[in-house]
Amino acid sequence: MADDTARRRAYLVVEPGASQSLPARLFADASVLAVLASIALAIIQTVPEFAPAMHLAIFDAEALFTCWFAIEYLTRLWIAPESPVYARTSALQARLRTALMPMSLLDLACILPWFILTWFPKAGSVAVLLQVLRFFRLGRYSPALAGVGRVLASELRPLAAAGMLGLAVLLLSATAMYLAEGDAQPDKFSSIPAAMYWGVVTLATVGYGDVVPVTPLGKAITSVSILCGLILFALPVGIIATGFLHEIRNRAFIVTYSMVSRVPLFTGLDGSALAELVSMLKSRRIPRNVEIVRAGEAGDCMFFIASGEVEVLLPGNHIRLGPGDFFGEMAILGGVPRSATVVASRASELLVLDAADVVKFTAKHPQLAEPLRAAAERRKSEGTAEPAPAPAPAP
Ligand code: CMP
């Protein structure tokens, strides 16, 4: 079985969140430490007091970090087919798609500094830049950093539009100042590019004071530019703030009676029981292809599908569950590890009930306990049955 292979074991150690085992945690800590130490090294090597004395040690340490990052990169490509996201693709496709992901490209860039320092010592500044970029590898282990990345990626279009507007205003104001101040201050406004320095400092409302208007027209243009600058900077701030709001909303939504009543299991419950249940349930929005539970993990909650579709990945058999269905009950009721990996085959809205609440609620409402247990029993026997052919991929 795939679970027994070295690749599967490596996947469970290397893939963030795949397992909570000690080796997985040690690997994550070592990976974070390697990133932080290599960045510290990159910073130290730019300090003239340290650099000459420690040059050799810094170079050796960089070689060591390069080995670590290279092994990590190759391992991630090797284990890529183990990801449930690539359950229906070939190993080669899984690796290619993984290699083209932004995080993998960053991993690759993180290996380069040592080679640049060795073969092209004159391009040392590029190496330092790549060394510092390693910081973003922490996104793999930091949900907050990953969230910022997602927000920037999702708001790319409006941010690009705001950037274009900023460029247009900069160009206009710099041209106007070149025409208005060029004769009075030829050393400061000798050309449009020279006036652009004034433009950036003014539109950013920084105003160093090294380049100031002296003509009345120049002063008028400066006043308007400062006001435009305030608006221009408010735009991306607003866009990013809205992006964060969407990100938060995407993770959670308000659980309503109508969602709960869509689950057939709950139809027999009276008003007060439903109210109690609504207060216990949490919500989760899951994007398509994201893993929800993983086989072998300890189960701490179960799920009801309010909308969307999930796939239970049994060996050789993918079972689809849709709105009103539930999953994750087997680990809770049986006190055993998760029997299968479940992946969202469509963007889904799930209602989540913690294990303790499942026990509490079913004890209070025994009419729920029976169908849950029956489903768990049936699924257990189905899971060990002869595998049926996998269904066609979702449209
Ligand atoms: P659990 O073992 O907690 O986590 C994986 C879930 O997949 C499991 O609970 C069930 O809810 C679901 N599952 C396992 N086998 C089947 C099956 N044969 N049919 C439908 N769902 C299943």
Side-chain angles (χ1 to χ4, degrees):
M1 219 167 96
D3 288 46
D4 299 330
T5 64
R7 196 175 74 185
R8 180 74 196 161
R9 283 201 297 275
Y11 175 79
L12 290 176
V13 172
V14 174
E15 183 62 21
S19 152
Q20 294 301 317
S21 67
L22 185 66
R25 274 181 287 149
L26 284 178
F27 180 84
D29 290 349
S31 190
V32 169
L33 242 153
V35 169
L36 294 179
S38 75
I39 293 171
L41 211 76
I43 295 169
I44 288 174
Q45 77 190 1
T46 63
V47 181
E49 287 80 8
F50 293 144
M54 296 174 67
H55 181 75
L56 216 66
I58 288 176
F59 196 72
D60 288 347
E62 180 59 32
L64 222 95
F65 288 129
T66 302
C67 284
W68 171 276
F69 293 135
I71 292 171
E72 203 182 319
Y73 175 74
L74 293 174
T75 309
R76 285 191 195 284
L77 290 190
W78 177 52
I79 62 171
E82 293 294 328
S83 167
V85 173
Y86 302 125
R88 288 200 227 113
T89 56
S90 70
L92 182 68
Q93 264 182 323
R95 290 190 178 116
L96 273 178
R97 279 165 64 177
T98 302
L100 292 176
M101 276 161 60
M103 200 46 118
S104 301
L105 295 175
L106 181 68
D107 286 345
L108 191 62
C110 290
I111 300 169
L112 299 180
W114 184 82
F115 295 99
I116 293 175
L117 290 171
T118 309
W119 293 330
F120 313 101
K122 288 218 172 87
S125 44
V126 177
V128 172
L129 185 70
L130 291 177
Q131 281 169 325
V132 173
L133 276 184
R134 285 173 182 163
F135 183 82
F136 292 100
R137 293 183 88 241
L138 297 181
R140 210 173 247 130
Y141 301 101
S142 157
L145 206 58
V148 173
R150 270 198 304 276
V151 167
L152 290 181
S154 68
E155 302 299 328
L156 207 58
R157 272 164 167 261
L159 283 174
M164 287 300 287
L165 190 66
L167 263 179
V169 174
L170 174 65
L171 194 68
L172 274 178
S173 54
T175 307
M177 278 304 266
Y178 162 68
L179 296 174
E181 294 276 326
D183 289 339
Q185 302 188 74
D187 54 327
K188 306 252 170 72
F189 294 94
S190 56
S191 62
I192 294 179
M196 274 186 174
Y197 166 71
W198 162 89
V200 171
V201 171
T202 306
L203 287 174
T205 66
V206 173
Y208 289 127
D210 54 344
V211 187
V212 291
V214 291
T215 64
L217 183 59
K219 286 179 184 169
I221 295 169
T222 304
S223 309
V224 175
S225 298
I226 291 172
L227 291 177
C228 287
L230 288 175
I231 297 167
L232 281 178
F233 273 81
L235 267 178
V237 171
I239 292 169
I240 292 173
T242 313
F244 272 110
L245 208 69
H246 280 146
E247 172 76 7
I248 291 164
R249 279 212 197 118
N250 273 346
R251 262 187 256 151
F253 55 90
I254 294 167
V255 177
T256 60
Y257 280 95
S258 79
M259 281 173 190
V260 176
S261 60
R262 264 180 252 159
V263 180
L265 191 70
F266 300 141
T267 40
L269 292 175
D270 61 24
S272 68
L274 271 181
E276 189 186 359
L277 189 65
V278 166
S279 72
M280 287 173 167
L281 286 166
K282 290 183 211 110
S283 62
R284 242 162 84 186
R285 265 202 185 101
I286 311 283
R288 186 170 182 256
N289 278 342
V290 166
E291 188 179 280
I292 305 159
V293 304
R294 189 182 297 249
E297 269 180 1
D300 56 359
C301 60
M302 68 169 292
F303 304 85
F304 301 90
I305 305 172
S307 69
E309 185 187 74
V310 305
E311 258 185 23
V312 182
L313 308 183
L314 296 170
N317 186 14
H318 296 181
I319 293 175
R320 294 203 184 154
L321 303 176
D325 282 331
F326 57 84
F327 62 94
E329 79 295 349
M330 288 167 70
I332 309 279
L333 299 181
V336 290
R338 295 282 188 206
S339 60
T341 294
V342 182
V343 177
S345 44
R346 292 198 185 146
S348 303
E349 290 182 328
L350 304 181
L351 309 174
V352 188
L353 193 58
D354 285 340
D357 289 335
V358 174
V359 174
K360 200 167 113 190
F361 200 74
T362 48
K364 225 165 148 189
H365 305 278
Q367 73 269 33
L368 283 187
E370 194 37 47
L372 270 182
R373 231 169 258 131
E377 281 304 318
R378 180 174 44 79
R379 288 171 170 182
K380 199 170 158 191
S381 59
E382 278 174 12
T384 51
E386 198 57 32

